[in-house]
Amino acid sequence: MERAVLDKSRCGWWKSAVFYELYPKSFQDTTGSGTGDLRGILSHLDYLETLGVDAIWLCPICASPQVDNGYDISDFCAIEPSFGTMADMDELIAESKKRGIGILIDLTLNHCSDQHRWFRAAKSSRDNPYHDYFLWRDGTPDCPPSGMRSVFGGSAWTYVPEIGQWYFHQFAPEQPDMNWENPKLRQELYDVMKFWVKKGVAGFRLDVIDQIAKEPDKDITINGPRLHEYLRGISENVLTDEGLVTVGEAWGADTERAKRYSAPDGSELSMVFQFEHIGLDQEPGKDKWDMIPLELPRLKECLRRWQQELYGCGWNSLFFNNHDLPRIVSRWGNDKEYRVESAKMLATMLYGLQGTPYIYQGEELGMTNIRLPLEQYQDLEIHNMYKERTERGDSPESVMQSIWARGRDNARTPMQWTAGENAGFTTGTPWLPVNENHTVINAAAALADPDSIFYYYKKLIALRKELPVFRDGRFTLLCPEDEQLFAYTRDTETEHLLVVCNFSGREASFDFPAEYRGAECLVSNYKEPSVQTIRPYEAWMLIKKECIIPIQDYLGLGNEARMNQPGTVGFNWRWRLAPGQVTDALADELMALTKHTGRVNWDILNG
């Protein structure tokens, strides 16, 4: 199937698109440093073109001390030297465009690095013009302004003795939060975005964007009262080209907020990253490290709500993996004997939904979690959590179990290109160990196997561009209480999609809808779909199409042409008539025709 290329100058192109999240540090090293770089990405653009993705979400490539793997930016308009040069970036944007692939820049508009020139100036004096770019409070060295805690552990306040004040940081002390109430700061950040628009990027992924309107004096960190005002400011001042896409990371989003974030008028964002479904295997009221088994009915109800409540009035992102999350095939699939089947099943379930899917690098290969000794992990969050939990009395063994299951470094191990040394990622020592299973799970093996997870994703990506039902279909959940099967339909006037996925390693019974008999199978992760007894981790999609024919066109055809209208084989026929056109004779003729051609499912539409 020839790859369809979307016109990225048109508003809404992302609704038929599939994005690929790329973590540069772990993608491909070309220098032997052990760290990925921009030229490594350039070397694999053909791979991404073959997969069929429409845009690359590029995790932070701006200059950074790398305290939080690039999410601590010290210069928003410069390239991190370990990744390459601005010339490399210009070439990456240009070469991606040649392949029909857009580039999304990942920006942290909520915070920056403590090494940014703004913050260095801000902490030098209370009278410095940049001081008000950040959130400062008076106090004494032994008494923080409040008891607020950082996401990474410890206080959310750090004291600067030179000026006798505390600054607020929702993340690491090296990531001071910026003060969006200051219009001069807002203009600086608009200018940063305009810089990248001029470079030719397709848009932006905005990190923790729902935190920019925080009010720490009221313990408000997300969904502050001026959030929507600030988002509209970004749209009005930067997003003047209707083809530019923005996706906002919003951990605090619910469906009502998401409708405002991603309203069809484009006044705020193009789409939202929300995480409600990702927290369903976490103990309520506790941290991500406190795990409970996933209850499938809860997942189905969560996704049903998002599908139905955003329909026609908002737009969601579809994802199971990203650079902060463990590998989904290890989390909700079976990364042992059913790794391939469960990876394909999870993709089938997700890619049948409305929204824009995101592949995280290696997901298309079925890459898995990794188990390392503590000292080999690089993530600041892991080490802070281990220290806090062991100090409070948790056993080291139980803490390591949580790290192996939920640690962010699960997603950040180097991309597995080959079965060779270091998985073909580097000729040096990789910054994070390569998963030992790269000898089996790697891109070279996937490209050589027509039944691989890679080609399954490629098929799903192509289908989402080809069939409008993926973009426009209305969602209906089937068997909501079933603890094994996730089944649903998507419907437009002329296309009807049935998706069935077994989330378990046991067979499951399914009451197959009679109206889908004879429907076309779009994808199946077994050689032939089993429609009543669903095998372990089995998944398939069926489609039923209908051809709506204006009655005047039908009546103008000769008898033979009526029997063999091109483009209608395998379709149900539906005739559109004006009121009063239906006669007994016409109805008899249409019924005879459908019986003759085997198209026995037909009806007559008024209008």
Side-chain angles (χ1 to χ4, degrees):
M1 181 183 297
E2 185 176 350
R3 175 175 178 253
V5 177
L6 301 174
D7 180 358
K8 295 179 180 59
S9 67
R10 300 182 62 181
C11 181
W13 62 268
W14 51 86
K15 294 185 177 182
S16 297
V18 174
F19 289 15
Y20 189 94
E21 184 192 354
L22 195 152
Y23 198 71
K25 196 170 184 178
S26 297
F27 196 65
Q28 179 68 69
D29 170 27
T30 61
T31 66
S33 67
T35 298
D37 49 58
L38 295 178
R39 301 219 66 81
I41 300 170
L42 276 159
S43 72
H44 289 295
L45 285 179
D46 289 346
Y47 168 87
L48 297 175
E49 182 182 19
T50 298
L51 182 58
V53 298
D54 304 283
I56 296 169
W57 156 18
L58 204 58
C59 287
I61 43 77
C62 297
S64 166
Q66 299 292 311
V67 171
D68 188 24
N69 289 296
Y71 286 91
D72 50 319
I73 295 175
S74 56
D75 188 337
F76 288 98
C77 298
I79 298 298
E80 163 57 32
S82 63
F83 291 153
T85 66
M86 188 60 77
D88 294 331
M89 186 64 193
D90 291 338
E91 185 178 351
L92 176 60
I93 294 170
E95 289 298 319
S96 297
K97 281 185 178 179
K98 289 179 183 177
R99 294 162 174 82
I101 299 173
I103 297 290
L104 270 67
I105 293 292
D106 199 335
L107 291 180
T108 59
L109 302 184
N110 175 72
H111 54 268
C112 65
S113 167
D114 64 347
Q115 298 305 304
H116 196 289
R117 62 182 178 85
W118 298 342
F119 188 74
R120 292 204 311 270
K123 70 176 184 177
S124 67
S125 166
R126 295 189 183 200
D127 298 325
N128 190 283
Y130 289 106
H131 187 73
D132 197 38
Y133 277 31
F134 300 90
L135 297 162
W136 298 92
R137 298 294 182 267
D138 293 335
T140 58
D142 57 348
C143 185
S146 73
M148 294 182 70
R149 304 285 291 174
S150 161
V151 170
F152 292 160
S155 175
W157 298 95
T158 291
Y159 189 69
V160 178
E162 292 84 354
I163 57 174
Q165 285 187 307
W166 298 78
Y167 66 87
F168 182 80
H169 52 88
Q170 181 70 352
F171 299 95
E174 295 87 352
Q175 295 169 287
D177 281 37
M178 292 185 282
N179 178 20
W180 270 73
E181 291 189 357
N182 185 335
K184 292 181 179 179
L185 169 79
R186 296 200 298 272
Q187 187 60 55
E188 294 258 25
L189 294 175
Y190 299 156
D191 290 344
V192 165
M193 297 179 76
K194 290 175 183 178
F195 170 86
W196 287 109
V197 170
K198 189 174 180 180
K199 285 283 183 184
V201 301
F204 302 92
R205 184 264 187 183
L206 302 176
D207 187 63
V208 293
I209 196 64
D210 60 349
Q211 297 191 19
I212 60 175
K214 66 182 65 61
E215 293 188 2
D217 296 329
K218 299 178 181 178
D219 287 355
I220 296 173
T221 56
I222 60 172
N223 301 315
R226 297 184 68 183
L227 176 59
H228 296 286
E229 172 194 343
Y230 295 156
L231 292 177
R232 289 192 296 272
I234 293 172
S235 180
E236 293 165 3
N237 286 276
V238 180
L239 308 177
T240 53
D241 181 342
E242 68 175 12
L244 287 170
V245 59
T246 51
V247 54
E249 182 189 28
W251 284 85
D254 55 22
T255 54
E256 289 305 310
R257 290 189 178 98
K259 290 176 188 178
R260 295 186 66 182
Y261 293 146
S262 61
D265 64 5
S267 58
E268 295 190 7
L269 302 168
S270 308
M271 67 185 95
V272 63
F273 264 121
Q274 59 80 24
F275 296 83
E276 183 179 347
H277 62 298
I278 292 300
L280 294 176
D281 56 0
Q282 171 182 321
E283 284 191 52
K286 294 192 176 182
D287 296 330
K288 73 177 186 180
W289 311 103
D290 303 302
M291 301 168 289
I292 57 175
L294 175 69
E295 296 177 13
L296 186 60
R298 291 184 66 209
L299 176 65
K300 291 190 284 188
E301 170 55 23
C302 174
L303 294 179
R304 178 208 63 76
R305 183 162 27 84
W306 280 89
Q307 287 290 294
Q308 293 181 348
E309 294 185 15
L310 260 63
Y311 186 78
C313 56
W315 199 256
N316 201 5
S317 302
L318 304 174
F319 70 97
F320 283 144
N321 293 278
N322 69 23
H323 64 280
D324 285 334
L325 300 174
R327 294 287 181 178
I328 196 63
V329 73
S330 298
R331 184 175 188 174
W332 289 350
N334 179 323
D335 62 8
K336 302 296 189 297
E337 62 268 31
Y338 289 109
R339 183 185 64 86
V340 172
E341 291 84 357
S342 63
K344 292 179 179 179
M345 180 276 293
L346 290 161
T348 306
M349 189 280 282
L350 196 67
Y351 279 53
L353 300 175
Q354 185 180 62
T356 299
Y358 285 73
I359 301 171
Y360 178 68
Q361 66 183 47
E363 183 179 347
E364 76 280 9
L365 305 177
M367 283 178 60
T368 67
N369 283 353
I370 192 170
R371 288 192 170 206
L372 298 173
L374 180 66
E375 62 272 13
Q376 291 190 22
Y377 285 106
Q378 299 294 319
D379 185 23
L380 175 68
E381 181 186 50
I382 286 175
H383 288 280
N384 287 348
M385 186 278 285
Y386 183 89
K387 181 176 184 294
E388 282 196 353
R389 296 217 165 191
T390 53
E391 286 180 351
R392 78 179 188 186
D394 292 10
S395 71
E397 294 77 16
S398 68
V399 177
M400 289 306 300
Q401 289 292 336
S402 294
I403 290 171
W404 292 331
R406 291 289 189 270
R408 299 192 301 181
D409 279 350
N410 280 306
R412 300 173 181 183
T413 58
M415 183 71 171
Q416 295 168 202
W417 293 109
T418 71
E421 185 178 6
N422 294 326
F425 165 70
T426 181
T427 57
T429 301
W431 75 278
L432 189 65
V434 172
N435 198 313
E436 292 180 355
N437 64 19
H438 74 274
T439 55
V440 176
I441 304 171
N442 60 74
L447 291 170
D449 177 8
D451 195 37
S452 68
I453 300 168
F454 178 94
Y455 288 113
Y456 196 87
Y457 269 86
K458 179 180 173 72
K459 175 70 171 177
L460 288 170
I461 293 168
L463 287 171
R464 289 187 64 91
K465 295 187 182 70
E466 176 189 351
L467 300 171
V469 69
F470 288 100
R471 183 187 64 238
D472 302 326
R474 186 176 293 275
F475 176 93
T476 303
L477 180 65
L478 306 180
C479 48
E481 299 304 320
D482 194 296
E483 296 183 353
Q484 290 178 264
L485 295 180
F486 196 142
Y488 60 88
T489 59
R490 300 279 310 284
D491 297 284
T492 65
E493 191 174 37
T494 59
E495 293 179 338
H496 307 278
L497 185 72
L498 172 64
V499 180
V500 176
C501 301
N502 186 349
F503 262 70
S504 78
R506 309 183 313 277
E507 289 186 347
S509 297
F510 179 60
D511 187 9
F512 185 77
E515 61 267 29
Y516 281 89
R517 288 176 185 154
E520 175 189 357
C521 180
L522 295 177
V523 291
S524 170
N525 64 348
Y526 281 72
K527 289 188 182 297
E528 294 291 337
S530 175
V531 297
Q532 290 182 317
T533 301
I534 314 301
R535 291 162 289 195
Y537 295 102
E538 182 171 9
W540 40 260
M541 289 182 179
L542 304 182
I543 193 164
K544 180 181 68 171
K545 301 179 184 179
E546 296 176 316
C547 183
I548 298 180
I549 306 170
I551 195 65
Q552 60 269 26
D553 294 350
Y554 168 77
L555 294 174
L557 298 172
N559 285 335
E560 184 175 351
R562 291 179 191 177
M563 301 290 184
N564 299 286
Q565 264 206 99
T568 63
V569 176
F571 289 69
N572 296 319
W573 281 21
R574 306 172 79 190
W575 285 268
R576 190 179 294 281
L577 293 85
Q581 281 188 281
V582 181
T583 65
D584 290 343
L586 177 59
D588 290 343
E589 182 178 359
L590 297 181
M591 178 61 82
L593 175 63
T594 55
K595 287 182 177 179
H596 179 81
T597 60
R599 303 183 184 99
V600 296
N601 294 322
W602 64 279
D603 58 14
I604 296 174
L605 305 174
N606 287 335

